Amino acid sequence: MTTDAPITDGPTDVLIVGAGPTGLTLACDLARRGIGVRIIDRSVAHPRSSRAKGPNLRSLEVLASLGAAEEVLASGSLPLTMRKYRDHVPVSDFDPYADPAPVPASAFDWPRLIAQWRLEEILRDRLAKDGVRVELDTELVGLDQHPEDGAAGVTATLADGGTVAARYVVGCDGAHSPVRKLLGIPFTGETQTDQVMVCGDVEIDEDALDRDIWHQWFDTTGAVMLCPIPGTRDGWWFQAGPERDGAGVPQPPTEEGFRRLLARHTGLPGEVLRRATLLSTYRVNVRMADRFRAGRVLLAGDAAHVHSIAGGMGMNTGIQDAFNLGWKLAHVLTGLAAPALLDTYEEERLPVAAWTLEFTSERLAETMAAIRLPGGGLDSATAAGEASGLSTGYRWSSLAAGAPETGPRAGDRAPDAPCRSVATGAPTRLHHLFAEPHPVLLGFGPESEPVLRAAVEAYGDAVRVHRVYGPGDVPDGPAGVLDHEGRVRAAYEPGAGGTVVVVRPDHHLGLVAPAAEASRVREYLALLCGGAARG
């Protein structure tokens, strides 16, 4: 067995199976919270995959919370103008972010293009700072649950005969998930065999194409799309309709086949494509696991749901699965919350997955209709505001308490806004405050101060509190921030008489309540972290 780290003896808190973006995000989140974690992958080497094209706005917020966003921004590129061709001739350019629609308050204006392998490198480096490394060439072949054993609730059997004892196991092991299959959880849906695409990473002569453009050739017989891979000099993402035999059967991708497709649909000499790697055939799969949890084993990412690539939601949905699950596992494992908190993972994320399947299928249908016309392309799939991830929330959740008449509601993603530290005067943002792995209380108005003080007295370091002071206020209470531009109040629309907002560790609003209703705040904090209450 080849590993990046020695196999250790004794039980671990969480065993993560699969070291793609979903598994790495979960591992990073757990490790920074001090949770014992091991992450295994059956690959013998880290995959050089670039299937996903990068994080959306919500995933960038997640990566920022994990301390990885700056490197992603430095390694990636802004979205590119799409150039559509017909009969080898450019017919239109489309910039999906030339006239961006207003988005909820966020530090990020645009998603980023970055190769999946580079994003995984960044996450592995971040994970290594907490002393955790991916264990390669380590394949899971069996699972046995022992719910009565709190120290080691699951025994995972490996292909080499070894075992791993863990309190919880999370399958982040892709659409063909061995974890899901071992659990016997159905993967309901369909494979659309008539919608096929061949993909790969290719190298193209440097002077053949403008690298500031995502080139898209559509004609009546097929399509070729070439998008430059950030951080490379001559690397491109290649996507195309497949070659077919005389009976119309799609043929497997080959390097020579890519050259023929390039010459046929683009008019460029096939020889400008010097090399093709990571060749694969993509078929539209629209499937979802019937449930995301079986006892002490959970599913996340492609192991739980797969869908059309239209809209770029696949990797992003997995990252956001992991961020929803991480803090809940940590609170249960450290005794802050009861195990029932884990039920809210499926309660919240399964409906999001179902919506994503429907959303991406609709975007695919729109795209397929659009490319039949000159100038049509991926416009609707890439420009859809829902693809940002910022509007995803959990208003239906049992963790969403309170429904104010104005402003954001419990379950919504907590808006971000610029502000200043009262202590230092330094500029900051609300999401910087939310990055710490704790519930955060925001207090609006002097009436909120007793509630904030009571939370600190009851829970100490298990919570963070910040009084939000307006431009004319004189700070005289708990640690806080100065809303010097008024954008925090504009985002949260607190009511008269003071308001207390409880922000969950995954940046979603848990409770929005009048400061006079302190009992509601106490009850909600007991749900999230009652195990830390001081006697």
Side-chain angles (χ1 to χ4, degrees):
M1 182 186 301
T2 302
T3 67
D4 280 356
I7 302 296
T8 57
D9 295 326
T12 189
D13 288 329
V14 181
L15 173 66
I16 299 172
V17 183
T22 301
L24 289 168
T25 298
L26 180 59
C28 287
D29 197 22
L30 291 170
R32 72 177 179 136
R33 299 173 189 276
I35 301 301
V37 61
R38 287 176 62 178
I39 178 169
I40 64 174
D41 198 287
R42 62 182 176 183
S43 301
V44 297
H46 295 302
R48 193 74 172 178
S49 171
S50 58
R51 293 186 301 272
K53 287 188 172 65
N56 62 17
L57 300 184
R58 178 60 186 141
S59 290
L60 284 172
E61 291 181 340
V62 171
L63 294 169
S65 187
L66 299 178
E70 287 189 10
E71 198 164 356
V72 170
L73 297 181
S75 299
S77 72
L78 292 172
L80 302 175
T81 295
M82 301 178 186
R83 179 163 296 163
K84 275 73 70 70
Y85 299 77
R86 202 76 170 190
D87 299 325
H88 305 170
V89 178
V91 293
S92 69
D93 283 1
F94 173 71
D95 182 349
Y97 295 93
D99 299 305
V103 298
S106 175
F108 303 99
D109 295 324
W110 299 280
R112 287 302 191 274
L113 291 173
I114 184 172
Q116 183 173 323
W117 58 263
R118 178 62 186 129
L119 176 62
E120 290 175 359
E121 282 183 345
I122 292 170
L123 289 172
R124 287 197 300 269
D125 289 345
R126 173 65 189 86
L127 185 59
K129 292 178 181 178
D130 284 317
V132 181
R133 296 184 181 275
V134 175
E135 301 171 24
L136 293 171
D137 195 17
T138 307
E139 183 178 1
L140 179 84
V141 296
L143 284 171
D144 291 299
Q145 296 200 52
H146 318 289
E148 71 285 352
D149 186 349
V154 187
T155 299
T157 303
L158 307 179
D160 68 352
T163 60
V164 177
R167 294 175 69 183
Y168 289 92
V169 172
V170 184
C172 305
D173 47 347
H176 301 288
S177 169
V179 172
R180 187 188 66 243
K181 293 175 182 178
L182 287 167
L183 295 174
I185 295 177
F187 205 38
T188 306
E190 62 179 357
T191 300
Q192 300 175 11
T193 57
D194 59 325
Q195 295 179 343
V196 183
M197 183 169 60
V198 291
C199 312
D201 288 7
V202 301
E203 295 176 4
I204 291 179
D205 289 347
E206 292 182 50
D207 57 353
L209 288 169
D210 184 348
R211 286 187 61 83
D212 293 324
I213 298 291
W214 184 352
H215 302 271
Q216 302 172 8
W217 292 266
F218 300 103
D219 55 46
T220 57
T221 62
V224 165
M225 293 177 284
L226 282 168
C227 182
I229 302 175
T232 67
R233 186 177 61 183
D234 52 9
W236 296 76
W237 286 299
F238 182 103
Q239 296 169 294
E243 294 186 300
R244 297 178 182 267
D245 64 14
V249 176
Q251 298 301 292
T254 65
E255 185 172 304
E256 280 305 313
F258 277 18
R259 291 193 180 96
R260 289 190 294 267
L261 289 167
L262 183 73
R264 180 185 311 149
H265 294 294
T266 73
L268 294 169
E271 292 73 24
V272 302
L273 192 157
R274 300 194 309 272
R275 185 167 178 259
T277 59
L278 302 175
L279 307 186
S280 64
T281 298
Y282 169 79
R283 289 178 173 83
V284 176
N285 278 300
V286 182
R287 297 181 181 275
M288 189 170 72
D290 288 4
R291 50 200 170 104
F292 291 3
R293 181 187 180 195
R296 289 176 173 262
V297 184
L298 303 102
L299 302 174
D302 286 355
H305 43 73
V306 293
H307 44 77
S308 161
I309 60 174
M313 302 289 282
M315 178 187 74
N316 288 293
T317 305
I319 287 173
Q320 292 153 38
D321 282 350
F323 202 57
N324 181 286
L325 177 58
W327 71 273
K328 296 173 181 178
L329 276 169
H331 277 216
V332 170
L333 285 162
T334 56
L336 291 179
L341 180 64
L342 292 178
D343 293 337
T344 67
Y345 168 64
E346 179 179 299
E347 177 190 2
E348 293 180 344
R349 293 305 295 177
L350 192 148
V352 170
W355 173 86
T356 303
L357 266 63
E358 182 178 355
F359 170 78
T360 54
S361 295
E362 290 173 352
R363 297 291 84 77
L364 178 63
E366 291 178 8
T367 300
M368 297 303 293
I371 64 177
R372 296 186 179 97
L373 303 174
L378 306 184
D379 305 6
S380 65
T382 56
E386 296 95 331
S388 73
L390 297 178
S391 60
T392 299
Y394 314 117
R395 290 185 179 183
W396 62 84
S397 171
S398 58
L399 293 181
E405 295 181 359
T406 61
R409 293 174 54 184
D412 292 352
R413 164 195 162 272
D416 194 9
C419 49
R420 292 185 180 277
S421 166
V422 165
T424 66
T428 186
R429 301 189 65 92
L430 288 183
H431 271 230
H432 291 170
L433 308 181
F434 303 160
E436 289 193 59
H438 308 277
V440 173
L441 280 71
L442 299 178
F444 294 87
E447 301 87 349
S448 69
E449 291 185 7
V451 184
L452 300 184
R453 289 195 183 96
V456 173
E457 290 172 2
Y459 294 99
D461 288 342
V463 300
R464 298 290 185 269
V465 301
H466 299 276
R467 166 79 194 282
V468 179
Y469 295 96
D473 293 338
V474 178
D476 61 353
V481 294
L482 177 63
D483 184 18
H484 61 297
E485 297 179 1
R487 291 170 65 180
V488 178
R489 283 187 168 270
Y492 284 81
E493 301 181 36
T499 298
V500 176
V501 176
V502 181
V503 182
R504 300 170 8 171
D506 59 353
H507 313 161
H508 283 266
L509 301 178
L511 173 70
V512 181
E517 299 180 9
S519 61
R520 293 178 58 196
V521 178
R522 290 195 298 269
E523 291 169 2
Y524 193 78
L525 290 178
L527 176 66
L528 293 190
C529 46
R534 298 172 176 175

